[in-house]
Amino acid sequence: MTNAASRTPRRTPLTWVRRGGLSTLVFLLPMLVVFGVFSWTPIVESVVMSFQHTNLVTAPEFVGWANFSAVLADPTFWIAVRNTAYFAVLALIFGYPLPLIAAVLLSETRRMRGVYSVLAYLPVIILPVVAVLLWKVFYDASPNGVFNTILGWFGIPPQPWIQDATTAMPSLVLQATWAGAGATVIIYLAALRSVPPELYDAAEVDGASIWQKVWHVTLPQLRGILFITLILQIIATAQVFLQPFLFTGGGPNNATTTILLLIYQYAFQNSLGGAYGKATALSLMLAVFLAVLSIVYFRITRRWSTE
Amino acid sequence: MKSPGKVLLAGAAVVATVGALAGCSSGSGGGGGDSKIHLVVAPVLPGATADALNALAQRVKEFEKANPDIDVKAIEYQWTGTTFAAELAGGTLPDVFNVPFTDSKTLANNGQLADITADFTKTSTADKWNKNVLSVATGDNGKIYGIPWGPYAMALSYNREIFQKAGLDPDKPPTTLDEIRQDAKTISEKVPGVAGYMQMTKDNTGGWNLTTLTQSLGGRMEKVGSDGKVTVTADNAQTKQGLEWLKSMRWDDDSMGSNFLFDWSGINQAFASGQVAMYMSGSDVIGSLMQANGFDQTKYGVTTYPLASGSDAGILSGGNVDVVNVKDSPEQIAAAVKWIDFYRTQPTVDKNAAVKNAQTLKAGNQAVNAPTLPVFDKATWQQNQEWIKPYANIPAANIAPFNAGIFTQQIVPEPPRHTQDLYNALDGVVQAVLTDRNADIDALLKGVDTKVQALIDADGK
């Protein structure tokens, strides 16, 4: 039994260099420089900007917490919070179970699994903007719109889809689910392959039905990946921008204005008023909220995972 | 662990990275290796037709011939408030671009535009300018920051072919709001799939159109007190009257189609493709319809937007100002002013330039006689119209209803403070009225007053 400290030589710059620290650093340097320049500089600058009034050209003026209080006092802020939460909830209801069901079905499929996987993944490779433009044709509110034509075959009158405050948000969620589900299906499929086949064999010996196998073997084995995809989905839905921006511009009457769209509007809707401060203040608030949410979530789910 | 090969490799990687990063910040906006002054100008909208680009290339050639020391590169570009400041900060703005009347003065006062006073005063028309028109490009310090062109009045554009299909006389367009409503109803009934009338609703254009409607009925969205204090008055009787009118067409007549989320280019597309029969826009919009949508001008009709009786009723007007990138060198600024004078101003005052410009536009199938308002005075404008008459390619009968009425309409400028914020807040009101039969107009307009007033009051603190 020797003392651990006596075994480990004292760390000095010389031992660090001798152990290859220098070449490690030199190897790391390009990445650190790129990361620092392209990732951290904008982050730090945006934090600074959230306390400034600036038009990006003339000298900025420090205004303390004014941008934060102005954002909180804006009635549109609370509408955007409500809409974002609504989008997230709808996306969880539509979008969370669907890929899992698809992945389980795919993994049970013996023939043409590759073809089905490609079909499931196909929407992901379509450029998001192209996909939205495509769905705009589907959502055309006139009787000649693609979806309305299909409804017409069953005698259902044309629906306003994105032209009405009540149907706009579910329509956006439907498209977002279609666009994003494929990637999640692939993650679940990969995770399903890691489930030991002996567990299924044992379950079959015990006379378990397919649903009992899913419930008692598949889902518990996927618990870790399910927790991860859930928080990733919450974070992604809290930052939804593309669909409201391209489909509705936040309308009708702010029914689809989300937090990220509001940030965009602050920053770019009117370049004259120097609302970049408000935009970065709201971005910072969102980032802090999501960070706190993630920490709390991981603490809770870690407890569940170990129980 | 330490190997010279590894260190060498890593060193090479560092050099490559630093080189790449350095490359990001150099090489752009440079001189181009010759003694010429290089200028990037942006006189056409994105999506311009081949005809439009050919016409532009001709004009660039003429300019370069007259100014051999200047090299002009013309690009497609559309100024939007949404991207302007980021482009300016990022160094990707062209040297010459145009901004709307609503924004030029504020941009000038914010220090976001180049001061062109010295070069502007050297132009042949410097003393000819109507002070009221030039004021949109004049900063509070009295300096000049841009050259206005193409002022327009809001007008009613209509598709003559659809009018005929609906059994209406395209030479007798509607002259009151009631007649617009009646004609829209007739069109939507007789020509299925076509919206009889539509207004823009998105990206601040909904507020722009609603403000036009309000002012044409005699109302104002903002009032300036004698002490200079601005009060937002969106919640007024005329705005409500205008919204009720839209509501009746949407919900009682069903004559506004099925798409209620249109921005400027979206409604232009819909009109050009025959989905909308009548809409409200600037009187010069045919220029863009031809340039970006390839629209056949023989189908086009335009008339004045109806004004209510009463001394307060007036038509909203606007226009464009060509401005210069604030980051440009004095030589570039001087060249830029020469270009703007050549491209925008000379064709309005000089017979030779007017004729050449008209010939080029006509050859490129671009609008020659799009209806605009005088930039100097009415006499100069009329003279200009005479010069270009032989090359006019929009049939005179199509624009006659507008030209006959516009000079008797009172022109009212746009609301003065936080204009784009006001327009954005009003977008939601128009959208609500067109998509929700039970929209609470009073509450919505009160909300606009509160929101925009808070922005204006915050400026004073």
Side-chain angles (χ1 to χ4, degrees):
Chain A
M1 293 271 282
T2 49
N3 190 335
S6 65
R7 269 191 301 155
T8 315
R10 266 193 69 220
R11 283 180 176 225
T12 64
L14 196 66
T15 54
W16 177 77
V17 170
R18 210 173 281 155
R19 283 166 172 267
L22 196 61
S23 53
T24 310
L25 184 70
V26 173
F27 263 112
L28 267 177
L29 207 58
M31 204 200 71
L32 287 177
V33 171
V34 171
F35 206 60
V37 170
F38 293 113
S39 288
W40 284 100
T41 314
I43 291 172
V44 172
E45 274 183 1
S46 71
V47 171
V48 173
M49 204 188 280
S50 65
F51 295 96
Q52 290 176 333
H53 186 91
T54 177
N55 62 14
L56 299 183
V57 179
T58 47
E61 171 197 354
F62 272 90
V63 291
W65 294 94
N67 289 325
F68 292 87
S69 52
V71 168
L72 291 171
D74 183 348
T76 320
F77 168 73
W78 297 106
I79 295 172
V81 169
R82 197 188 58 203
N83 288 342
T84 309
Y86 182 42
F87 184 97
V89 169
L90 280 180
L92 280 185
I93 296 170
F94 290 171
Y96 189 62
L98 265 180
L100 182 62
I101 295 168
V104 170
L105 290 177
L106 274 173
S107 69
E108 291 295 322
T109 311
R110 295 273 177 265
R111 294 176 60 205
M112 294 175 52
R113 189 192 289 176
V115 175
Y116 291 132
S117 302
V118 168
L119 285 177
Y121 195 72
L122 211 54
V124 180
I125 61 168
I126 296 177
L127 285 175
V129 175
V130 176
V132 169
L133 292 178
L134 194 70
W135 276 68
K136 262 191 171 178
V137 180
F138 294 170
Y139 281 149
D140 185 346
S142 72
N144 307 325
V146 175
F147 286 164
N148 282 341
T149 304
I150 296 168
L151 291 182
W153 296 340
F154 302 98
I156 302 168
Q159 299 300 309
W161 303 108
I162 55 173
Q163 306 283 339
D164 185 282
T166 47
T167 52
M169 193 63 102
S171 302
L172 301 197
V173 173
L174 188 65
Q175 193 277 339
T177 304
W178 170 86
T184 323
V185 168
I186 299 297
I187 294 174
Y188 286 146
L189 271 178
L192 282 168
R193 293 205 171 178
S194 67
V195 179
E198 307 87 65
L199 293 177
Y200 289 113
D201 296 340
E204 267 172 27
V205 169
D206 291 343
S209 68
I210 181 166
W211 293 115
Q212 282 172 322
K213 279 193 285 178
V214 168
W215 188 253
H216 293 292
V217 179
T218 311
L219 287 181
Q221 288 293 314
L222 291 186
R223 190 161 55 183
I225 201 89
L226 285 171
F227 285 151
I228 292 283
T229 51
L230 181 63
I231 190 68
L232 285 179
Q233 175 153 350
I234 292 170
I235 291 172
T237 50
Q239 299 182 61
V240 63
F241 172 76
L242 187 81
Q243 281 79 13
F245 179 68
L246 288 175
F247 271 122
T248 57
N253 192 22
N254 285 328
T256 55
T257 300
T258 58
I259 292 177
L260 235 71
L261 188 66
L262 186 62
I263 291 172
Y264 172 85
Q265 287 178 349
Y266 278 143
F268 300 120
Q269 161 203 311
N270 181 0
S271 65
L272 310 175
Y276 295 101
K278 275 199 218 171
T280 46
L282 181 51
S283 309
L284 196 62
M285 283 155 67
L286 178 66
V288 169
F289 170 77
L290 288 177
V292 171
L293 181 79
S294 304
I295 292 167
V296 171
Y297 179 85
F298 278 113
R299 294 226 154 178
I300 293 172
T301 53
R302 191 166 52 189
R303 203 181 310 145
W304 289 343
S305 305
T306 49
E307 265 169 12
Chain B
M1 298 288 280
K2 192 172 57 175
S3 119
K6 267 188 194 171
V7 174
L8 205 65
L9 188 68
V14 172
V15 171
T17 310
V18 172
L21 289 174
C24 289
S25 58
S26 71
S28 59
D34 54 29
S35 58
K36 283 190 176 182
I37 301 161
H38 295 269
L39 211 57
V40 178
V41 301
V44 286
L45 295 172
T49 58
D51 285 336
L53 295 175
N54 285 338
L56 176 63
Q58 272 310 111
R59 299 279 288 144
V60 169
K61 257 189 210 163
E62 285 166 30
F63 179 75
E64 287 181 333
K65 202 173 162 194
N67 298 276
D69 58 329
I70 304 172
D71 171 59
V72 171
K73 185 182 173 196
I75 59 164
E76 296 177 44
Y77 175 85
Q78 183 167 17
W79 185 86
T80 54
T82 55
T83 50
F84 165 70
E87 287 168 326
L88 180 55
T92 56
L93 265 186
D95 298 305
V96 178
F97 52 98
N98 71 283
V99 301
F101 277 11
T102 37
D103 295 344
S104 49
K105 209 177 177 70
T106 318
L107 291 169
N109 289 335
N110 282 354
Q112 292 170 293
L113 304 176
D115 171 8
I116 61 165
T117 316
D119 299 297
F120 174 78
T121 48
K122 286 180 204 157
T123 61
S124 59
T125 48
D127 299 327
K128 203 174 161 60
W129 282 91
N130 177 336
K131 284 270 179 300
N132 288 332
V133 176
L134 197 57
S135 76
V136 297
T138 310
D140 290 346
N141 55 9
K143 290 183 174 167
I144 311 292
Y145 291 88
I147 300 180
W149 58 272
Y152 61 82
M154 293 302 276
L156 181 75
S157 292
Y158 61 98
N159 186 317
R160 294 172 64 92
E161 195 179 57
I162 296 176
F163 261 56
Q164 277 165 336
K165 275 187 195 162
L168 299 168
D169 182 355
D171 291 329
K172 287 189 183 141
T175 55
T176 63
L177 291 187
D178 284 343
E179 285 178 19
I180 292 180
R181 181 180 171 185
Q182 191 50 52
D183 287 356
K185 193 162 184 259
T186 306
I187 290 166
S188 62
E189 283 168 358
K190 299 217 170 141
V191 194
V194 172
Y197 175 84
M198 188 53 202
Q199 284 190 188
M200 301 170 210
T201 54
K202 247 176 86 180
D203 298 341
N204 306 5
T205 60
W208 177 50
N209 277 191
L210 182 62
T211 302
T212 302
L213 191 53
T214 299
Q215 294 188 168
S216 73
L217 290 164
R220 296 289 181 271
M221 292 293 186
E222 288 180 358
K223 291 213 163 117
V224 185
S226 52
D227 56 350
K229 187 177 159 34
V230 174
T231 312
V232 184
T233 55
D235 184 19
N236 65 64
Q238 290 82 4
T239 304
K240 286 177 197 168
Q241 189 191 337
L243 289 168
E244 287 297 339
W245 175 71
L246 289 174
K247 203 172 171 178
S248 58
M249 283 196 288
R250 162 70 178 99
W251 298 103
D252 299 340
D253 305 346
D254 194 16
S255 60
M256 297 184 78
S258 53
N259 186 359
F260 308 107
L261 295 171
F262 275 123
D263 60 6
W264 187 78
S265 56
I267 204 165
N268 285 350
Q269 266 172 26
F271 178 78
S273 62
Q275 295 166 35
V276 170
M278 288 186 277
Y279 77 120
M280 173 201 285
S281 195
S283 56
D284 61 341
V285 73
I286 180 62
S288 172
L289 289 169
M290 289 169 73
Q291 184 177 298
N293 305 103
F295 182 62
D296 174 6
Q297 69 272 26
T298 59
K299 293 182 192 168
Y300 182 71
V302 62
T303 185
T304 48
Y305 206 82
L307 295 190
S309 56
S311 58
D312 285 338
I315 196 68
L316 184 143
S317 77
N320 294 284
V321 182
D322 261 16
V323 295
V324 183
N325 193 326
V326 70
K327 297 188 173 176
D328 277 3
S329 67
E331 293 77 23
Q332 280 178 306
I333 292 174
V337 172
K338 271 187 189 168
W339 161 260
I340 302 169
D341 187 52
F342 165 84
Y343 190 74
R344 302 290 190 197
T345 312
Q346 287 307 316
T348 66
V349 292
D350 179 78
K351 186 178 179 184
N352 239 343
V355 168
K356 261 189 179 174
N357 186 44
Q359 283 171 334
T360 315
L361 290 175
K362 190 176 184 187
N365 198 28
Q366 297 306 290
V368 173
N369 53 330
T372 54
L373 295 181
V375 73
F376 294 111
D377 51 55
K378 197 178 168 188
T380 313
W381 179 84
Q382 280 172 328
Q383 175 69 72
N384 179 269
Q385 296 297 301
E386 284 302 314
W387 291 334
I388 62 171
K389 211 172 188 175
Y391 313 98
N393 55 2
I394 304 167
N398 296 23
I399 52 175
F402 177 82
N403 283 342
I406 189 57
F407 290 104
T408 56
Q409 284 198 327
Q410 182 190 196
I411 302 285
V412 180
E414 302 186 71
R417 298 291 299 278
H418 280 270
T419 318
Q420 298 294 347
D421 291 313
L422 172 72
Y423 287 171
N424 182 262
L426 289 169
D427 274 358
V429 182
V430 187
Q431 290 171 7
V433 167
L434 296 180
T435 58
D436 177 6
R437 188 189 281 270
N438 302 314
D440 185 346
I441 292 176
D442 287 336
L444 289 164
L445 290 176
K446 278 196 179 76
V448 172
D449 280 356
T450 312
K451 181 170 178 165
V452 184
Q453 191 67 55
L455 293 172
I456 291 174
D457 292 346
D459 288 346
K461 283 177 187 165

